[in-house]
Amino acid sequence: MNVDTILDNMNRHKVRYLLIGGMNFLLRHRPILTFDVDLWIEDSEPNRQLCHSALVSLAAEWGKSDADWGPVKDKSSDWLSVQHVFCLTSPHGAIDIFRSVRGLASWSTCFAESVRERTAGAVSYYGICDRDMLACQRCLPREHQKLERIAALEQALAREPRDE
Amino acid sequence: MNNVSAENGPDESMLAEERKRERNWDPAKRWRAIQDTIAWADLQAQHPRNSSHACLQAQGFQTQ
């Protein structure tokens, strides 16, 4: 399975990542139309190197420009430090790599609150929690907010037991 | 560092990256990857998309 392959490669290369975006919502709540795997990586040099290795093993492709587009195995190993977001292709599907995410606290804070789950194919992953998913949506301009997603997250949070 | 959105927000760098990927992705490979992703997503659901349970659930949400 393609998304399982992407997550499994990230796990095997010990990349510190969090699943965010539509795929995280799809796995934890309800089916939605989404085609890319959004991964927020811990933004450190060693972790970017691990991520680079995982993307090489996935035969991912990216380019700083159209002219530069090609397999990431041919890129200099620091290519993940040149910008903040990367939209890649791979035979297993589209992959978006984020070094930071609007509306959220630090990666380590969100990781501490994250949820460890498994896909139906038994591949484990860490995804940002419902509260952080909701924070991502709420920081968007109103016309870009996904209302169905916000409603589902608010319902899920309302069902959560409260800390006394 | 400028923060960017994972939720397809209006951030220009995100939109430019997505457009660049579209231009550089072979249409046949892209189509195959999308079909595979749809099949994978369907496997994640407890009830398949075309089951009566899933249809009634979707209908219920639409009429809420």
Side-chain angles (χ1 to χ4, degrees), chain B residues 3-56:
Chain B
N3 284 354
V4 291
S5 171
E7 311 284 346
N8 300 324
D11 185 281
E12 276 307 309
S13 60
M14 183 72 204
L15 293 175
E17 272 293 294
E18 286 178 339
R19 288 191 201 109
K20 184 172 60 186
R21 171 167 60 197
E22 295 297 307
R23 290 193 299 272
N24 287 283
W25 205 349
D26 175 76
K29 289 179 181 171
R30 180 172 182 268
W31 186 87
R32 183 73 257 165
I34 289 172
Q35 298 306 310
D36 287 350
T37 304
I38 291 170
W40 177 88
D42 208 25
L43 278 177
Q44 307 309 307
Q46 281 182 310
H47 305 281
R49 261 178 309 153
N50 288 327
S51 67
S52 57
H53 184 279
C55 290
L56 288 169

Side-chain angles (χ1 to χ4, degrees), chain A residues 79-142:
Chain A
W79 65 275
L80 277 168
S81 62
V82 300
Q83 57 192 52
H84 313 296
V85 59
F86 304 82
C87 293
L88 302 100
T89 62
S90 86
H92 315 285
I95 306 169
D96 294 346
I97 300 289
F98 295 85
R99 292 173 58 204
S100 60
V101 177
R102 180 191 299 152
L104 296 183
S106 69
W107 188 91
S108 54
T109 302
C110 291
F111 181 74
E113 298 292 320
S114 69
V115 178
R116 189 176 188 198
E117 285 281 1
R118 283 181 187 274
T119 67
V123 176
S124 68
Y125 66 93
Y126 287 94
I128 58 170
C129 67
D130 290 347
R131 200 171 306 280
D132 285 341
M133 273 198 268
L134 191 55
C136 277
Q137 284 294 319
R138 283 188 173 146
C139 79
L140 292 171
R142 213 162 180 75

Side-chain angles (χ1 to χ4, degrees), chain A residues 42-51 77-81:
Chain A
E42 181 197 47
D43 193 26
S44 67
E45 176 57 25
N47 195 50
R48 288 196 297 269
Q49 289 294 332
L50 294 172
C51 186
S77 60
D78 65 344
W79 65 275
L80 277 168
S81 62

Side-chain angles (χ1 to χ4, degrees), chain A residues 4-20:
Chain A
D4 281 356
T5 305
I6 293 169
L7 297 173
D8 186 48
N9 262 274
M10 291 287 155
N11 294 339
R12 282 194 292 107
H13 285 84
K14 302 191 185 319
V15 181
R16 287 172 63 77
Y17 73 90
L18 288 166
L19 185 64
I20 58 175

